[in-house]
Amino acid sequence: MAIQAALRPFSTANRLNPSISSVHKPKTLLCRASLSNLVGSEAGVCLSVGTHFIPHPDKVEKGGEDAFFVSNHRGGVIAVADGVSGWAEKDVNPALFSRELMAHASSLVEDEEVNYEPRSLIRKAHAATTSIGSATTVVAMLERNGILKMANVGDCGVRIIRRGQIVFSTSPQEHYFDCPFQLSSEAAGQTFLDATVMTVELMEEDTVVMGSDGLFDNVYDTEILAVVDSCDNVADAAKALANLAHSHSKDSSFDSPYSQEARARGFDVPWWNPIMPMFLIRICDAFEQGFDVPWWKKFMGMKLTGGKLDDITVIIGQVESSLSS
């Protein structure tokens, strides 16, 4: 699973004037990615944002299947969508759904009916998306008073760092291991009503780390803290985290968060294990719904170690005074 709108790794950073937006154009569609999110015209706080994306090694030419956008509306809006790669088995490009979803979300940020509520934004963007496919997604909206509102469907994630400690983490929504909740073109998928809605009060100098599961499946929270602390700005931090996740994803000896979770769920078993019939039922069900399941590891009972190859999207926002120069 993954998301993005570029044909190669890229970073964005820098501050923009409130009236300026920057658009990163993928090969086919249109996800807006503002280079920064610092609004200096009104009192309060806002996000200064850096982003970086690295596609799955096998999906570089197609630009990956992740998508994201950054908006400087109010205190700032950041969002990620991770296209479910299982749709490729049905000759559907998994990137189209995630890219269109984020394109609509970007265009609807200021919609009166959305009312600056992340779940409402998901509702309207999903309803407007006509591409076949599905995606996990997370949306975060910062009010100038420091209130961060989030809505999450699936296993994209958010961490909030304050004074060198993670003070908030999202939890993935799953039907079962490696089968996350997802917005879909099919009736069997989830909707905005299934989103987990969260609110956190932020302070100046807090850091928001958002990413697709390609980040959190390959990088531990302790590593996230160390990388963010070692970098001078959000752009460098986003790039460093994405590069670390990419490195871990290719390391067959690295005991990744994904591998640890798989073993904890009982997937590190020989193929003749008595619970194998349940594995097969889940695998068949997953393919029917287009879910992305690494069935071969479950079937063969291979030792579950190593990282998980995936698209990797990282968005980092630092909370700053909107009056900062």
Side-chain angles (χ1 to χ4, degrees), residues 47-228:
L47 292 175
S48 179
V49 176
T51 68
H52 197 79
F53 169 80
I54 302 176
H56 187 295
D58 296 335
K59 303 171 185 178
V60 173
E61 292 302 318
K62 294 183 178 180
E65 296 161 2
D66 277 2
F68 68 89
F69 81 89
V70 174
S71 169
N72 60 8
H73 184 55
R74 293 198 187 181
V77 183
I78 55 178
V80 174
D82 183 350
V84 176
S85 59
W87 284 96
E89 301 293 330
K90 298 185 176 184
D91 294 323
V92 173
N93 182 352
L96 297 182
F97 187 91
S98 58
R99 291 175 183 174
E100 185 182 356
L101 180 71
M102 289 291 94
H104 287 306
S106 175
S107 67
L108 289 165
V109 165
E110 299 182 39
D111 188 281
E112 289 185 2
E113 292 184 10
V114 168
N115 195 30
Y116 207 64
E117 292 293 337
R119 193 164 76 161
S120 294
L121 184 62
I122 290 174
R123 174 180 63 84
K124 294 209 70 173
H126 187 197
T129 300
T130 59
S131 295
I132 302 300
S134 57
T136 64
T137 190
V138 62
V139 177
M141 296 175 156
L142 181 64
E143 296 280 10
R144 290 217 173 90
N145 63 4
I147 300 299
L148 184 71
K149 299 181 291 187
M150 294 165 281
N152 181 60
V153 179
D155 58 3
C156 294
V158 174
R159 304 288 187 269
I160 296 175
I161 301 172
R162 178 175 298 158
R163 300 190 183 97
Q165 300 292 325
I166 292 178
V167 296
F168 173 86
S169 300
T170 55
S171 297
Q173 296 175 307
E174 296 179 314
H175 298 285
Y176 46 84
F177 177 69
D178 222 21
C179 181
F181 282 23
Q182 53 204 261
L183 303 175
S184 177
S185 59
E186 308 300 303
Q190 281 66 61
T191 73
F192 72 99
L193 294 173
D194 297 292
T196 299
V197 178
M198 302 147 284
T199 301
V200 178
E201 186 173 357
L202 300 185
M203 302 168 56
E204 283 189 51
E205 299 185 2
D206 283 356
T207 301
V208 180
V209 178
M210 176 182 285
S212 57
D213 65 331
L215 170 63
F216 300 107
D217 281 344
N218 289 298
V219 180
Y220 290 96
D221 284 354
T222 52
E223 294 178 298
I224 292 175
L225 287 172
V227 169
V228 171

